[in-house]
Amino acid sequence: MQKYRFLLLTFLLLFLLDLDAFSQDRRGRRLPEMRVTAPDTVINPNLLPQPAWPDSIPIPGPDTLPDGTDTTTVVPKGDIQTQIDYYAEDSIITDFTSNKVYLYNDAWFEYGNIRLDADYIVIDWEKSELYASGITDTLGSIQGNPVFKEGPATYEIRKEMRYNFKTQKAIISDVVTEQDEGFLRGETVKKDDDGSVYLADGFYTTCNLAEPHWHIASGKIKSIRGKHVIAGPFNLHFNNIPTPLGLPFGIIPDQQEKASGILFPTYGEEQVRGFFLRDFGYYFAFNDYIHTRLTGEIFSKGGYGAKAATLYRKRYRYSGGFNFDYQRFQSPETEEFQVDYNEFWVNWQHTPESRGNSRFSASVNAGTTTYNNAVVNPVNFARNINAEFTSNIAYSKTFAGTPFSMSVNLRHSQNIQTDEVRVVLPDIAINMNRQNPFRNVQFEPLKTLNVAWNFNAQNSINNLITNPLGVNTQPQFQQADPFDPTQGIDPLIGPPVLPFNFANLPQLLREADNGFRHTIPVTSNFTLFRYFTGTAGFNYTELWYLNQIDYFYNEEAQRVDQIRSDGFNRAGFFNSSFNLSTNIYGFYTFRKGSKVEAVRHHMQPTFGFSYSPNFADPRYGYFQEVQVDESGRTQFFSRYQGAIFGGPPLGEARSLNLSIRNVVEAKVKTSNDTTGTEETKKVPVLQTLNLASNYNMAADSFNLAPININTRTAFFDQRLSVFVSATMDPYATRTVTNAQGQQAEQRVNAFAWNRGQGIGRLRNATLNLNGSINPSRSETSPGERRDEITNDFMAQGGVMNEFAQNEIDRIVADPSQYIDWEIPWNLTFGYNLSYNRAFTGTTNVTQALNVSGDVSFSEKWKINFNTGVDLSTTQITQSMIGIARDLHCWQMNVNWIPFGRFTSYNIDIRVKSSILQDLKVSRRRSFFDSFR
């Protein structure tokens, strides 16, 4: 026994000497980080190795257990399932008596998917528990507060925490944790093993400041990881000031992926339709490719609505969205001003990815004609004053290895002011690319000769009523007499329309226009006389129709009537042309020292001749000569008048064509601020100046066509753009008086300068001025702004649909939604002038001025406006005034439409976080209230 004691004392002495040497070496230099792995012997002391004492227990006899698994090979399984690592910068102290480990200064503990960082950590192996807190320094401040991570969740602890890594439950004092885009904070927090967090006296915010601008305060908050955050009775706080705004409960989503669930409604009141619950329904997340939202709304005075919105997306193939909105409202009989509507609207957007040799796309916008007048988004009034809506569903395919391609389109256009609806169902096109049959020939005109073929088939349904009686007999160059009742059309109202509904569908189908068109263009390009380029062309067009028009003179009514006869009809016609063009350059150099170095004038004249025979010849049968009045006067009428592709032209044409294109540029010196040297840049004086006309030698009168002039230029570094176009009639006019004593203007087959009327009569003119003024050197267009916002939205994982597209359009169109805080002020203006003078002498002048802009009064405040004046009627157009305020984590917008049909105002204070987009303080009064 003494021998064993001696050996044990010797072993302890050697151990202490090694430990002392190790401590001295550590004080001399800093050792690298070491991972210490806790052995199972700490957890189960019974597994400690024992000395090899002589066995005093006798060897048992044979095993009496039945044959089976050898129990001596079963390894006992401890509570710890994976490796435990821990480290401390200062010291690690192990207390074997209490079975605890103490970690000091920059310590960390890792076990599985959890990590704990703190300046003070206690590991209790007996209880499988962690305790962590900060350490108070000499100045009394706490340093190294715990930061606990479990999977993707992070908890910033202000005081202390206890965590059982066996049960994965925790008790935390004063913690802040991030949930998706928001932050949760609570005085006392309990964490469950499933990741759920219970907070007492907690709050929720999306502001990332230490002292947030706003938060939701509640006595009880529960966060279910990956699902949502549930708050008990809560109210909003602004800058730690409580407000009376709140709800009995709140549910905030906390999901990385979308899931099915209930959509809670918004509520409010309108003066006409009463109290409402809006957008209440259910969200169906069927799978990763398609989601659907079904919502409804109800009004206390009898109105209701239903909406369906579907988003679908298949990566690398296609994406899109389908939306349907139905609205029904009828005012109670006791209301003084009755409102009654039954409306619907359909929107479908389908966008394919570019791949393969086929493509299918869709853009559908259709509904009742009064939908946008009854169902209004008060924020975006631009959509409600839009009169034209178009749709197109398209499929195209290119046949690989061949020059052929095809496309099929279903088109729709709708005018909500005139109620005119046109549906092209279908529009089929087959095209053959240009082919060069003589490409190997050395003779250039034959080498560049190319031929193509295009086929087009259309069936068009239109609700315009065609009156078979009283065919218009006015010459083509004159305007119809607005006082002639035989025309059957009021020029101020337009042609009558048939309601486009299912009841009238049989009649609409019977009166549908359809036809087929073949075109074969043949062209050749070559050089003549070294400086000229010649272009020769021949075009053949053939039309196929299933009916034609027969005309006859009605002696009793003294008018021309028409009858449509069914049967296959074809009409083929052709024309040929030859054009010769060249380029002429002129330079003017200024004297040395001038700011303008030189001016260059580029002129491109084109001379041409075109020929088309007279297809009114009876041998063709395309026109019918009919008596038009009792005097026996006759006139030619096309048998394909009003057809979908028209018909052959009337009369022979042997025309000389002349067009001149001009470009004037200047080279101007500019100083370089960085180097102090002078540089030059090109400045457009005239971006383009075009003149065009033709002279028909085959016409018996009015041989010279009107002269078309247009020009475009820009000033002040492209900040002011100017466009001018005009049409000059070179013929003289005279004043005539009809039987009713009314005077009108009539053209005379004589040039104006021969009658002392100057160079001619101005028939129409257009002037457009557009400018933008701001201190910024870089100016982005609305299209560039739209692309920038769309790209940012898509980069953040957004999916384009009707809602997203409308929001982007609203931001681009509404200055109050797009706030560039970098520019202190901005002013955009546009002036439009239009002048028209008819052949009868009546004139029409319209002009309007539009102004929009914004001004920043400080770094966070900006006022914007959008207004205009119709100078023809001296009326102010639709105007808007807005105030924007950047509140860091909030955005405040105040918009006011002070007058007009869509008079309204709204005030929104909205959280910038996308998951809390419905959390806002708003007061809105829509234009519906103006009905009372």
Side-chain angles (χ1 to χ4, degrees), residues 440-484:
N440 297 324
V441 179
Q442 296 300 322
F443 185 55
E444 188 178 5
L446 283 179
K447 184 177 182 179
T448 60
L449 181 70
N450 58 77
V451 59
W453 172 71
N454 303 307
F455 171 78
N456 189 215
Q458 289 187 17
N459 180 67
S460 176
I461 302 173
N462 198 310
N463 64 339
L464 288 179
I465 299 177
T466 302
N467 188 2
L469 306 177
V471 178
N472 186 7
T473 60
Q474 292 287 338
Q476 295 183 1
F477 58 82
Q478 289 190 0
Q479 183 183 17
D481 187 356
F483 303 101
D484 186 358

Side-chain angles (χ1 to χ4, degrees), residues 349-365:
Q349 301 291 331
H350 179 86
T351 304
E353 300 287 345
S354 298
R355 56 178 296 171
N357 54 11
S358 62
R359 176 184 174 91
F360 175 81
S361 62
S363 176
V364 177
N365 290 280

